[in-house]
Amino acid sequence: MRQAITELAIATPGQGLHEITDPVERWVADSAIETGLLTLFVRHTSASLLIQENAAPAARRDVERYFAKIAPESAGYEHDDEGPDDMPAHLRAALTATSLSIPVAGGRTVLGTWQGIYLFEHRRVGHRRRVAAHLIGG
Amino acid sequence: MRQAITELAIATPGQGLHEITDPVERWVADSAIETGLLTLFVRHTSASLLIQENAAPAARRDVERYFAKIAPESAGYEHDDEGPDDMPAHLRAALTATSLSIPVAGGRTVLGTWQGIYLFEHRRVGHRRRVAAHLIGG
Amino acid sequence: MRQAITELAIATPGQGLHEITDPVERWVADSAIETGLLTLFVRHTSASLLIQENAAPAARRDVERYFAKIAPESAGYEHDDEGPDDMPAHLRAALTATSLSIPVAGGRTVLGTWQGIYLFEHRRVGHRRRVAAHLIGG
């Protein structure tokens, strides 16, 4: 049994779902761990992780519109130090995932056919996001 | 230290919370790992995982009604390739969990007395769902 | 490779976000595992876990008000055995996290600068909450 740990740097172009399945799978393959457990952890409170439909861009746009509606910019938040998209970003992060754990088999994650891993950027402006990745197995 | 990995096939009868605590605990017991970490991962984007109250069926009905209300079928989604219950399914999955990790002690999960593990089926029609399970420990 | 497991007992003063970063980091440090994976699991269905902004108390108050609004006490739930704050507690727990996994490097979690770990108490009255903690690594 052994482990690998790294940090993936992801430059987001702005608000929305940005697929990171490829760099994640590449790192898993490079680790040469055949069977194990992958954990991703986003080191921010205004971005989050989401497993979503990887085939239909319309589904991703619906997801983005949905979170914009249930945690809107115009709700009179007390905290707005960094602008109107600051507090909604924290709320959308709270409603989705900060960490995700995915079993690994045959040297790759067991993601289903229609699943992709997405970094959900909640700020309007693109950011350089850091996602910690840990893999344990053999 | 060693690990076990499997896939649980769960036939859901239709929309709602379906308890899977028993097959999960059975697999943990069969693995003969006394202390460790269990991870469950649902390989779909229209079903999810939820730890909920295991004693009161009324609480589960309230949970189902709540998610039907906050991510309703009638909200004019762009993506509706598979019918009106398609997009709400993705949203309800996004709001709940795709992966769950539960420590194991004494050969069983440390679930609290009132906690059950549920597969949350978001499509109207029952499906055969695949839940990957990984256990590491000793 | 080795592992450590414990249960943290957290007395909450009442509804809201209660930071538990310090006792968690202390336990990680005491374990003397340098690199690995930490998992936290809350053993209740009316409290949950949340990674949030650790610098701005106003952001935490906004988070608390937001969840009070989207899963309110006055929504005519079927399940109210333990009072009007019972069912909303289960819903707020369902919308946030029951388990969190955080990589460990250099003997501490890789939490970002502005991230804190919070136990989210959803009942009005303070409770003694049990959070299972598992750490594996070397």
Side-chain angles (χ1 to χ4, degrees):
Chain A
M1 204 77 70
R2 57 198 186 78
Q3 61 182 346
I5 190 167
T6 196
E7 186 178 275
L8 306 171
I10 314 285
T12 62
Q15 219 163 41
L17 290 163
H18 304 288
E19 187 160 14
I20 60 170
T21 314
D22 284 354
V24 169
E25 291 285 12
R26 215 147 42 218
W27 180 70
V28 170
D30 287 350
S31 77
I33 288 178
E34 275 297 300
T35 304
L37 181 69
L38 169 72
T39 298
L40 301 174
F41 178 84
V42 61
R43 301 181 67 195
H44 309 274
T45 59
S46 55
S48 58
L49 296 167
L50 199 62
I51 301 282
Q52 262 299 311
E53 237 277 355
N54 61 5
R60 288 199 294 282
R61 287 191 294 268
D62 278 330
V63 168
E64 291 164 1
R65 278 188 289 257
Y66 177 74
F67 282 95
K69 193 184 72 184
I70 63 162
E73 288 204 0
S74 54
Y77 303 108
E78 181 185 355
H79 175 74
D80 62 356
D81 299 359
E82 296 184 41
D85 62 332
D86 184 10
M87 197 56 223
H90 295 309
L91 299 177
R92 296 171 199 178
L95 290 168
T96 51
T98 300
S99 75
L100 276 178
S101 291
I102 314 177
V104 166
R108 46 182 298 142
T109 70
V110 299
L111 281 177
T113 312
W114 310 107
Q115 288 181 309
I117 308 170
Y118 292 86
L119 180 60
F120 203 168
E121 174 63 70
H122 300 302
R123 301 302 304 270
R124 288 187 189 177
V125 172
H127 280 71
R128 191 173 171 280
R129 297 303 195 173
R130 296 170 301 151
V131 178
H134 178 268
L135 179 55
I136 188 166
Chain B
M1 203 78 69
R2 57 199 186 77
Q3 60 180 347
I5 189 166
T6 195
E7 185 177 276
L8 305 171
I10 313 284
T12 62
Q15 219 162 40
L17 290 164
H18 303 289
E19 187 161 13
I20 59 170
T21 315
D22 283 353
V24 168
E25 290 284 12
R26 215 148 42 219
W27 181 70
V28 170
D30 287 351
S31 77
I33 288 177
E34 276 295 299
T35 304
L37 181 69
L38 169 73
T39 299
L40 300 174
F41 178 84
V42 61
R43 301 181 67 194
H44 309 275
T45 59
S46 55
S48 56
L49 296 167
L50 199 62
I51 301 282
Q52 263 298 312
E53 236 278 355
N54 62 5
R60 288 199 293 284
R61 288 191 294 269
D62 278 329
V63 168
E64 291 163 2
R65 277 188 290 258
Y66 178 74
F67 282 94
K69 193 183 71 182
I70 63 163
E73 288 204 1
S74 53
Y77 303 109
E78 180 185 357
H79 175 74
D80 63 354
D81 299 359
E82 297 185 40
D85 62 332
D86 185 8
M87 198 56 224
H90 296 310
L91 298 178
R92 295 170 200 179
L95 291 167
T96 50
T98 299
S99 74
L100 275 178
S101 291
I102 314 177
V104 166
R108 47 182 300 142
T109 69
V110 299
L111 279 176
T113 312
W114 309 108
Q115 287 182 311
I117 308 169
Y118 292 85
L119 180 60
F120 204 166
E121 174 62 71
H122 300 302
R123 301 301 305 270
R124 287 186 189 176
V125 171
H127 280 70
R128 190 173 171 282
R129 297 303 193 173
R130 298 169 299 151
V131 177
H134 178 271
L135 180 55
I136 189 166
Chain C
M1 205 77 70
R2 56 197 185 78
Q3 60 181 346
I5 190 168
T6 194
E7 186 178 276
L8 305 171
I10 313 284
T12 62
Q15 219 162 39
L17 290 164
H18 304 289
E19 189 162 11
I20 59 170
T21 313
D22 283 353
V24 169
E25 291 284 12
R26 214 147 42 218
W27 181 70
V28 171
D30 287 349
S31 77
I33 288 176
E34 275 296 301
T35 304
L37 181 68
L38 169 73
T39 299
L40 301 174
F41 178 83
V42 61
R43 303 182 66 195
H44 308 274
T45 59
S46 55
S48 57
L49 295 167
L50 199 62
I51 300 282
Q52 264 299 312
E53 237 277 357
N54 62 5
R60 288 200 293 283
R61 287 190 294 268
D62 277 329
V63 168
E64 291 164 2
R65 278 188 289 259
Y66 178 74
F67 282 95
K69 192 184 74 183
I70 64 162
E73 289 205 0
S74 53
Y77 303 109
E78 181 186 354
H79 176 73
D80 62 356
D81 299 0
E82 296 184 41
D85 62 333
D86 185 9
M87 198 56 222
H90 296 310
L91 298 177
R92 296 171 199 178
L95 291 168
T96 50
T98 299
S99 75
L100 276 178
S101 291
I102 314 177
V104 166
R108 46 182 300 142
T109 69
V110 300
L111 280 176
T113 312
W114 309 107
Q115 287 182 310
I117 308 169
Y118 292 86
L119 179 61
F120 204 167
E121 173 62 71
H122 300 302
R123 302 302 305 272
R124 288 188 190 175
V125 171
H127 281 70
R128 190 173 171 281
R129 299 301 194 174
R130 296 170 302 150
V131 177
H134 178 271
L135 179 55
I136 189 165

